[in-house]
Amino acid sequence: MFSIVLHLAAQTAEGHCGNEAHAPGHNSSAGFVYIMKKITVWFTGAVLLAVVLLLVRAIESRNMPELQIWHTASLTNEFTVDDATPQSTLQDYLDQEERLFSELQQKVYAQVPPITGVNFSRYSHAQSQDPQAQPHNWNRSFELVPDKIKAGALLLHGLTDSPYSLRRIGELLQAQGFYVLGLRLPGHGTIPGALTQVHWQDWVAASRIGAHHVRQRIGSQNPLVIAGYSNGGALAVKYSLDALADDSLPKPQRLLLFSPEIGIKPIAAFSNSHLLLSFLPWFEQFKWLDIEPEYDPFKYNSFPKNAAQQAYEITTEVQGQMQKLRQTGRFRDFPRTLTFLSWADNTVNTTATIERFYDQLDQLESTTSELIVFDVNRFDSLALFLPSLVDAPLDRLALSGELRYRLTVITNVARNSQSVASYSKAQRSSEIVSKPLELTWPWGLYSLSHVAIPFSPDDPIYGDGSVANKTYLGLPLGALQPRGETQLLTAPLDQLMRLRYNPFFSYLQRRIELEIAQLLNSS
């Protein structure tokens, strides 16, 4: 279809070029006027077509599920960049968070009618999926304090997520002597409607408050680590770029990134075009890409278009900053970064992480960053169902010569085996070093996913369900396997079937522990 459009466009251009020779007057002035008229006609036609398409999509949005109070309520106590001052402290942020959750209770939970019997909505008070009914409400910022502080870590969660998503990573760091701050980012942990009003500058301002607090908490000599998941990965990179140019910001010594959001689909740049119509009550559903049941206690299922817009804008900002710092030579001082990602990722552009970030690094051997890619399952019985594009990570590993970083691919030892091994190339090396791992693909899994990377199989909510947990009595979302007729459930099957945990988490844990041990030994 795209080639047909290009062919027609070429024919149209040729036709107009031929007609210009016969344009009235056939002189430079008349020709210029003629061309301008044609451009005006084309531009007007394009605008009208865009308006018609926008109107059609707006009308279609009325077929989406009805909005609930958690989509439409406005929480006025949420932190914004306007609340930040040079004197802002974490305690100020937590005090405002306390007011926010009190407002959430009054405006949302108190307005939802009580349900008799079992209900799996996170906004049904005291039911199994109510975050407030859990032993700990991980939607809120949290701190983990070791017996003796050796270092500090700031955890930045993903878009629509909550601090829960990096809880396990925080516990690993705490066990190594880290003071850990899991920061709830603005717009998260409350209602999905909060993401219709958030701006990426709010996230940046909050992350700066968090980094300042961690540095104050651990002292000036202990190392600082920032861990970022998905959109939090973009924020971790953004903060580190800001710190290279601003000496008032505490500089991190390491970044740990999980499925980082370095690039997303370009169409996200137009996400907020809905604003032309969605201000009308008749088109209020047009603000949303997805309106889904909210059964996850620590993550939104519904997704507003503004969230995609903000994600696109922060990735664009990061790309611009990297380019400027690279031109001045300061990008060479970017902190050592260890990244874990799934090659199969329907949320972010994994190629952008490689080409726009890692390929731009130019670090000394002592600060070499590493990219770890979890490949798809290449077991023979699955080959028929996987597209040829999934060969890209292995091809890149084999063909690349002078890498600016260390690249590791976790993949099958052979096509007839579900056992996996690591295949690595060191910085500026052509040698591939393989190492068998005592790990295998669980039966039925063909890949990891964007959301699976930082979660262990024994996670009580998103794990495989093999480990009983007496503290969490809600739905084991990672272990759900719905079977039945298609197009019947109110929740989309692709959401229920998406892998929620990392079957190779033990490898990820070992790599983080080695990275942290090296950091502590060198400090």
Side-chain angles (χ1 to χ4, degrees):
M1 177 60 73
F2 186 57
S3 60
I4 294 174
V5 172
L6 286 178
H7 179 67
L8 291 176
Q11 286 186 328
T12 303
E14 290 173 2
H16 282 298
C17 288
N19 290 337
E20 286 177 14
H22 305 287
H26 192 49
N27 55 54
S28 59
S29 177
F32 177 76
V33 172
Y34 178 78
I35 292 173
M36 290 305 297
K37 286 183 178 179
K38 286 295 183 181
I39 292 175
T40 301
V41 171
W42 288 344
F43 179 76
T44 303
V47 170
L48 289 175
L49 178 61
V51 170
V52 170
L53 291 175
L54 192 69
L55 184 60
V56 169
R57 295 297 300 272
I59 293 173
E60 289 177 347
S61 72
R62 289 186 49 78
N63 294 323
M64 298 176 74
E66 291 185 10
L67 296 173
Q68 305 297 323
I69 190 171
W70 44 86
H71 298 113
T72 59
S74 177
L75 303 179
T76 60
N77 282 293
E78 182 60 276
F79 174 89
T80 72
V81 64
D82 295 333
D83 296 317
T85 70
Q87 293 75 39
S88 293
T89 66
L90 178 66
Q91 191 57 54
D92 296 330
Y93 190 84
L94 296 179
D95 289 343
Q96 187 163 348
E97 185 175 273
E98 182 66 35
R99 295 192 295 272
L100 171 68
F101 276 80
S102 294
E103 184 181 15
L104 172 68
Q105 182 65 34
Q106 297 167 6
K107 289 187 174 180
V108 179
Y109 281 93
Q111 306 305 317
V112 176
I115 302 292
T116 56
V118 178
N119 185 274
F120 292 118
S121 169
R122 68 178 281 176
Y123 298 106
S124 291
H125 180 64
Q127 292 286 340
S128 65
Q129 300 305 105
D130 178 6
Q132 301 169 107
Q134 306 303 326
H136 184 90
N137 187 357
W138 293 101
N139 284 308
R140 305 184 67 160
S141 302
F142 67 85
E143 297 175 87
L144 300 176
V145 184
D147 294 334
K148 181 181 179 181
I149 295 178
K150 301 178 182 178
L154 172 64
L155 312 184
L156 302 174
H157 61 77
L159 192 59
T160 74
D161 287 307
S162 69
Y164 183 85
S165 61
L166 289 177
R167 172 190 63 90
R168 184 62 179 271
I169 303 302
E171 292 172 348
L172 295 179
L173 295 174
Q174 180 194 22
Q176 300 297 315
F178 276 69
Y179 163 79
V180 177
L181 172 60
L183 191 69
R184 184 200 65 87
L185 294 167
H188 294 84
T190 55
I191 55 174
L195 290 180
T196 64
Q197 302 174 359
V198 76
H199 296 88
W200 65 265
Q201 292 89 343
D202 304 331
W203 302 329
V204 169
S207 63
R208 289 187 172 193
I209 292 174
H212 275 292
H213 175 80
V214 175
R215 173 51 71 196
Q216 292 170 359
R217 190 72 171 80
I218 66 176
S220 60
Q221 301 303 313
N222 289 324
L224 169 64
V225 171
I226 299 181
Y229 167 47
S230 190
N231 188 62
L235 289 171
V237 173
K238 172 78 170 82
Y239 177 87
S240 300
L241 294 169
D242 290 343
L244 289 178
D246 185 350
D247 291 336
S248 70
L249 295 176
K251 290 178 172 53
Q253 281 66 58
R254 288 289 191 280
L255 296 190
L256 300 175
L257 304 182
F258 309 88
S259 304
E261 179 190 85
I262 304 301
I264 60 176
K265 296 175 182 177
I267 191 64
F270 305 100
S271 297
N272 273 352
S273 58
H274 70 87
L275 294 173
L276 295 171
L277 293 171
S278 62
F279 69 93
L280 299 170
W282 207 67
F283 288 132
E284 61 180 353
Q285 289 145 300
F286 196 36
K287 294 180 181 179
W288 297 83
L289 285 173
D290 298 297
I291 301 174
E292 307 292 352
E294 297 298 330
Y295 52 81
D296 192 322
F298 302 125
K299 179 180 176 64
Y300 306 144
N301 293 327
S302 302
F303 193 85
K305 293 176 179 176
N306 180 61
Q309 182 76 42
Q310 302 309 314
Y312 177 82
E313 290 183 10
I314 195 169
T315 57
T316 302
E317 182 74 12
V318 165
Q319 296 304 320
Q321 279 186 274
M322 282 195 289
Q323 188 65 27
K324 290 179 181 178
L325 288 171
R326 185 167 172 77
Q327 291 171 353
T328 61
R330 300 201 67 177
F331 194 44
R332 187 180 182 88
D333 299 324
F334 195 84
R336 174 168 166 152
T337 303
L338 177 62
T339 296
F340 302 89
L341 60 80
S342 168
W343 185 249
D345 191 317
N346 199 38
T347 300
V348 302
N349 185 343
T350 54
T351 302
T353 300
I354 298 173
E355 296 179 353
R356 301 180 196 172
F357 180 37
Y358 270 84
D359 282 353
Q360 304 306 313
L361 294 171
D362 188 17
Q363 298 173 312
L364 300 174
E365 186 176 351
S366 60
T367 56
T368 301
S369 294
E370 182 172 2
L371 173 62
I372 298 176
V373 179
F374 293 98
D375 194 16
V376 301
N377 187 352
R378 297 185 177 276
F379 193 48
D380 276 337
S381 64
L382 294 171
L384 177 65
F385 302 98
L386 295 174
S388 59
L389 289 177
V390 299
D391 288 336
L394 293 182
D395 291 344
R396 184 177 186 83
L397 182 68
L399 299 176
S400 56
E402 295 278 317
L403 290 173
R404 297 171 181 265
Y405 53 93
R406 180 180 178 86
L407 174 62
T408 297
V409 176
I410 309 301
T411 191
N412 301 61
V413 298
R415 298 277 182 167
N416 63 351
S417 173
Q418 300 223 59
S419 297
V420 300
S422 64
Y423 297 84
S424 301
K425 262 189 179 179
Q427 181 189 36
R428 296 183 173 87
S429 172
S430 59
E431 181 184 4
I432 298 177
V433 178
S434 63
K435 180 180 180 181
L437 304 176
E438 296 180 0
L439 295 168
T440 60
W441 279 98
W443 183 255
L445 296 188
Y446 54 86
S447 77
L448 270 66
S449 71
H450 175 82
V451 299
I453 298 299
F455 295 101
S456 64
D458 63 357
D459 187 275
I461 302 176
Y462 306 118
D464 61 11
S466 60
V467 178
N469 188 288
K470 297 180 180 180
T471 59
Y472 174 69
L473 302 178
L475 289 172
L477 299 178
L480 292 180
Q481 294 182 333
R483 294 292 186 271
E485 186 54 272
T486 60
Q487 301 181 4
L488 178 64
L489 300 179
T490 56
L493 282 178
D494 59 353
Q495 186 181 95
L496 295 174
M497 292 178 62
R498 198 178 197 188
L499 184 65
R500 298 288 195 105
Y501 64 90
N502 185 349
F504 309 125
F505 186 86
S506 60
Y507 169 82
L508 178 146
Q509 177 175 336
R510 288 197 301 271
R511 290 308 313 275
I512 290 177
E513 290 172 346
L514 287 172
E515 187 73 17
I516 294 308
Q518 182 184 29
L519 173 63
L520 294 178
N521 289 335
S522 63
S523 62

